[in-house]
Amino acid sequence: LCDGPIVAFTVLHNVNCNHGLIYVTSQGILKICQLPSVSCFDNYWPVQKIPLKCTPHQVTYFAEKNLYPVICSVQVLKSLNQVLSSLIDQEVGHQIEHDNLSFDGSYSVEEFEVRVLEPEKSGGPSQTRATIPMQTPENALTVRVVSEVYSKELKGAISALASLQGHLLIVSGPKIILHKWTGSELNGVAFFDAPPLYVVSLNIVRITSVIL
């Protein structure tokens, strides 16, 4: 609050002011406030759900402009002709004639974009200020051949990953767990709880000891 020291405070909850509060400042000013109904306060700090209608993958905070860039993906239904044409166009950097391709049906393709969200000053839902496609539709499809080496189910969503001296740091919200790969299994060897922080990125810093 920017009103200075508060000398008196009490809750106010009735039909006219749902989940409100009253406080008096040191200057003798009385103010009646109301908590925003769209936020949940049963956490370390207020939490608000934002309907994105997509799958968020990464979020960061741009403090200078009070913005939240979010990398998200949406499922787009494309015809099989479009899918095959995009795949053929990526073959070893040269174009292959595909004018005679004709297939029926459709295929679901995942396309990525960056959405820039700005929270409302009144406490309302955040608004999307800009949408930046990460790839053009012609280059959105990429063929990758991978094989699964190990699979393990963890509690909670994984919010960040990092490598540390041959170990794997896995973050699930406020919990950071250090894992060791034995060649056949991934075992947790140490952990750190960081509430009320919700970790979304990790930076590994190397510190070199200097003896004088």
Side-chain angles (χ1 to χ4, degrees), residues 142-159:
T142 304
V143 178
R144 297 182 178 92
V145 180
V146 296
S147 60
E148 183 179 285
V149 177
Y150 179 76
S151 177
K152 181 179 181 180
E153 184 176 351
L154 299 176
K155 294 182 179 180
I158 297 176
S159 55

Side-chain angles (χ1 to χ4, degrees), residues 65-85:
K65 298 294 183 180
N66 192 28
L67 300 174
Y68 290 88
V70 181
I71 298 177
C72 54
S73 63
V74 294
Q75 294 292 332
V76 179
L77 202 61
K78 290 188 174 183
S79 66
L80 285 178
N81 287 336
Q82 290 178 301
V83 174
L84 294 175
S85 297

Side-chain angles (χ1 to χ4, degrees), residues 48-192:
Q48 177 183 330
K49 290 185 178 181
I50 303 174
L52 296 175
K53 297 182 179 180
C54 63
T55 302
H57 297 272
Q58 186 72 36
V59 61
T60 187
Y61 178 57
F62 184 47
E64 287 78 3
K65 298 294 183 180
N66 192 28
L67 300 174
Y68 290 88
V70 181
I71 298 177
C72 54
S73 63
V74 294
Q75 294 292 332
V76 179
L77 202 61
K78 290 188 174 183
S79 66
L80 285 178
N81 287 336
Q82 290 178 301
V83 174
L84 294 175
S85 297
S86 299
L87 290 174
I88 293 176
D89 289 344
Q90 297 177 35
E91 288 293 329
V92 199
H94 63 271
Q95 182 77 22
I96 299 177
E97 294 295 333
H98 51 79
D99 296 335
N100 297 325
L101 289 177
S102 180
F103 295 93
D104 296 329
S106 57
Y107 188 80
S108 181
V109 177
E110 190 176 33
E111 294 188 347
F112 289 82
E113 63 186 18
V114 178
R115 295 187 185 181
V116 181
L117 304 179
E118 181 180 14
E120 289 287 342
K121 295 182 180 179
S122 60
S126 300
Q127 302 293 326
T128 301
R129 297 306 180 191
T131 301
I132 306 171
M134 294 185 65
Q135 299 182 22
T136 61
E138 292 78 14
N139 298 326
L141 294 173
T142 304
V143 178
R144 297 182 178 92
V145 180
V146 296
S147 60
E148 183 179 285
V149 177
Y150 179 76
S151 177
K152 181 179 181 180
E153 184 176 351
L154 299 176
K155 294 182 179 180
I158 297 176
S159 55
L161 290 171
S163 175
L164 177 62
Q165 296 181 350
H167 294 69
L168 181 63
L169 283 171
I170 300 179
V171 182
S172 179
K175 183 178 288 294
I176 304 174
I177 305 176
L178 181 67
H179 289 77
K180 181 180 180 181
W181 175 248
T182 64
S184 59
E185 291 185 347
L186 191 64
N187 299 323
V189 295
F191 72 92
F192 177 74

Side-chain angles (χ1 to χ4, degrees), residues 17-37:
C17 186
N18 190 23
H19 297 294
L21 54 95
I22 300 176
Y23 67 90
V24 180
T25 67
S26 59
Q27 290 81 22
I29 301 175
L30 183 145
K31 288 193 174 184
I32 300 176
C33 304
Q34 185 178 18
L35 298 176
S37 58

